[in-house]
Amino acid sequence: MPTLATGLQRLDIGQFRNIETARLAFSPGLNLITGPNAAGKTSLLEAVYCLGRVHSFRTTDPNQLIRHGQAAFRVVGRVGLPDGRVIPVGIQRRPGNYEIHLEGRPLRRLSDLAGRFPIHLMTGDTANILSGGPRYRRQSLDWALFHVEPGYRNAWQRYARALRQRNAALRDHAPAVQVTVWDSELVSAATSLDRLRRDYLKDLSGHVARELTLLLPGKKFAIRYQSGWAKDLTLAEALKKSLDKDRSRGYTQPGPHRADYAVLVDDWPARTHYSRGQQKSIIVGFLLGQVKLQHALEVPKGIFLLDDLASELDVEYQARVLSGLAELETQVFVTAIDTRSLDLGAWPVHKRFHVEHGTIREVVQ
Ligand SMILES: Nc1ncnc2c1ncn2[C@@H]1O[C@H](COP(=O)(O)OP(=O)(O)OP(=O)(O)O)[C@@H](O)[C@H]1O
Ligand SMILES: [Mg+2]
């Protein structure tokens, strides 16, 4: 169980989506948010997410978050840190301008906020990790590695820069030597990226496998990584081999920018072989494994948001997911339309909130 008063203790919301105002005190354990369609459940999660990440998971246009007809939204929270301190965090948006405060001071770098208050999120879109294109898997891999591996961001930036320059030379039909001049930097950065990704996925698959013993008992889990170029070649060889094709296409084909991984359960591809409920369980297992690995690597504990627990899952699967979440020992926010049949045995510490037409009230039990 969470020992802690860590996590989001209080939240004040003003004019965010359909929520006019709300003043909430959360449980350090599970916070269950219920209500009918269009009540404002996802909007509440979005407000929490926005406090930690300064953007939304639903829109790239932050002005959409301002309640219709209003000039600004405001979200202010009190976050309990593992060292026992409680810090205020606030964010206010007027069209075209964000003001962010951490501990009473304007914030210079967004990473300060993300580092103090990591937020893990599962929505319907998270299924893209399994069913979407390679881009989604690379994004999730990069995001995770930025958090746990100090050297990753630097290697990633070096690689992106060399790739951009090489592709510009290819697009401009520059002489071959102006293309290959980037190869050694590309290969050097790619070697770091590839090694860090490989090591990370190996550790991750161990953690996910453990989560799945609870979520999908008896199934064997594996991740099959593809580096982005032919297995039997080094990247330097692959670049040499594809130079003519790259020049006629106008971009670089082989490299970590085309990496991907397949998720296999009992040797079957998770994305094509399993039922919707099983797939959702695999994704939950994947995220839980990711968070457990972060905890093992001493990334500060954050909070976990799960939108729409019940979609695709029967009550038995829902109970397993809630047990899996309980083992994270972090604060959790879960939305669902109806929770009457939910088994909360794993969560002695919890609160319920009911949302209707943008009004949120705590359900006293
Ligand atoms: N800027 C805004 N101002 C006012 N209302 C908005 C704004 N943006 C979205 N809404 C409305 O807020 C309502 C709540 O949406 P939300 O997605 O939070 O509902 P929900 O409770 O998660 O519903 P569901 O169970 O269907 O997922 C919707 O009717 C939506 O159209
Ligand atoms: Mg919703």
Side-chain angles (χ1 to χ4, degrees), residues 179-234:
V179 174
T180 55
V181 70
W182 296 105
D183 289 11
S184 67
E185 171 71 353
L186 205 66
V187 167
S188 146
T191 307
S192 304
L193 285 186
D194 187 56
R195 185 177 44 77
L196 293 171
R197 284 176 172 177
R198 220 177 262 283
D199 289 351
Y200 175 79
L201 286 176
K202 194 158 156 258
D203 289 348
L204 178 64
S205 74
H207 282 273
V208 178
R210 275 193 288 285
E211 295 306 314
L212 287 186
T213 54
L214 170 73
L215 295 164
L216 288 179
K219 301 248 183 275
K220 191 173 88 216
F221 176 82
I223 292 176
R224 193 191 295 142
Y225 173 67
Q226 296 142 22
S227 59
W229 65 92
K231 254 201 217 126
D232 50 340
L233 301 179
T234 64

Side-chain angles (χ1 to χ4, degrees), residues 28-330:
L30 174 67
N31 294 278
L32 258 184
I33 298 146
T34 59
N37 287 133
K41 303 180 297 297
T42 305
S43 301
L44 173 54
L45 288 194
E46 201 177 18
V48 173
Y49 185 90
C50 194
L51 198 60
R53 296 263 189 106
V54 197
H55 62 262
S56 159
F57 54 83
R58 289 203 284 193
T59 174
T60 52
D61 174 10
N63 295 334
Q64 283 187 21
L65 304 175
I66 303 171
R67 187 159 167 265
H68 297 156
Q70 299 297 316
F73 79 70
R74 203 173 63 91
V75 182
V76 179
R78 291 174 70 77
V79 179
L81 299 178
D83 64 10
R85 284 187 308 139
V86 178
I87 57 167
V89 182
I91 178 161
Q92 172 158 312
R93 169 94 197 177
R94 303 177 181 287
N97 154 270
Y98 262 127
E99 275 175 38
I100 307 161
H101 284 84
L102 183 69
E103 295 187 82
R105 286 190 297 275
L107 197 66
R108 288 219 205 94
R109 290 181 319 163
L110 297 185
S111 54
D112 288 350
L113 197 56
R116 295 284 191 87
F117 186 43
I119 296 195
H120 309 286
L121 171 74
M122 171 151 183
T123 69
D125 288 347
T126 314
N128 283 326
I129 292 178
L130 285 190
S131 55
R135 179 164 65 91
Y136 293 103
R137 284 177 289 284
R138 278 196 300 271
Q139 262 169 13
S140 118
L141 190 55
D142 287 340
W143 174 254
L145 274 154
F146 286 148
H147 275 83
V148 299
E149 195 49 69
Y152 192 77
R153 189 177 292 274
N154 178 265
W156 194 91
Q157 284 166 343
R158 274 175 56 214
Y159 183 78
R161 185 172 159 271
L163 184 66
R164 235 180 1 257
Q165 305 279 12
R166 192 178 193 272
N167 283 343
L170 288 166
R171 245 189 344 267
D172 294 347
H173 306 288
V177 40
Q178 286 181 27
V179 174
T180 55
V181 70
W182 296 105
D183 289 11
S184 67
E185 171 71 353
L186 205 66
V187 167
S188 146
T191 307
S192 304
L193 285 186
D194 187 56
R195 185 177 44 77
L196 293 171
R197 284 176 172 177
R198 220 177 262 283
D199 289 351
Y200 175 79
L201 286 176
K202 194 158 156 258
D203 289 348
L204 178 64
S205 74
H207 282 273
V208 178
R210 275 193 288 285
E211 295 306 314
L212 287 186
T213 54
L214 170 73
L215 295 164
L216 288 179
K219 301 248 183 275
K220 191 173 88 216
F221 176 82
I223 292 176
R224 193 191 295 142
Y225 173 67
Q226 296 142 22
S227 59
W229 65 92
K231 254 201 217 126
D232 50 340
L233 301 179
T234 64
L235 179 56
E237 290 164 347
L239 286 168
K240 207 176 267 173
K241 196 169 166 196
S242 80
L243 182 60
D244 289 343
K245 274 202 194 135
D246 284 0
R247 293 185 77 196
S248 64
R249 288 193 202 102
Y251 62 86
T252 306
Q253 175 91 12
H257 59 290
R258 302 185 74 89
D260 195 5
Y261 56 83
V263 174
L264 302 174
V265 177
D266 277 354
D267 296 326
W268 293 99
R271 66 185 285 183
T272 50
H273 189 74
Y274 289 95
S275 79
R276 306 281 297 169
Q278 286 173 316
Q279 287 188 18
K280 181 157 172 177
S281 302
I282 293 166
I283 292 163
V284 172
F286 204 88
L287 292 184
L288 294 181
Q290 216 163 41
V291 179
K292 289 253 178 92
L293 176 54
Q294 290 195 6
H295 291 173
L297 296 169
E298 293 183 359
V299 173
K301 282 195 173 177
I303 64 181
F304 198 105
L305 312 179
L306 171 53
D307 196 21
D308 229 343
L309 168 70
S311 72
E312 325 279 3
L313 297 182
D314 64 26
V315 288
E316 163 71 29
Y317 275 78
Q318 289 175 38
R320 288 185 203 166
V321 168
L322 287 177
S323 303
L325 285 167
E327 285 179 7
L328 290 181
E329 300 187 341
T330 59

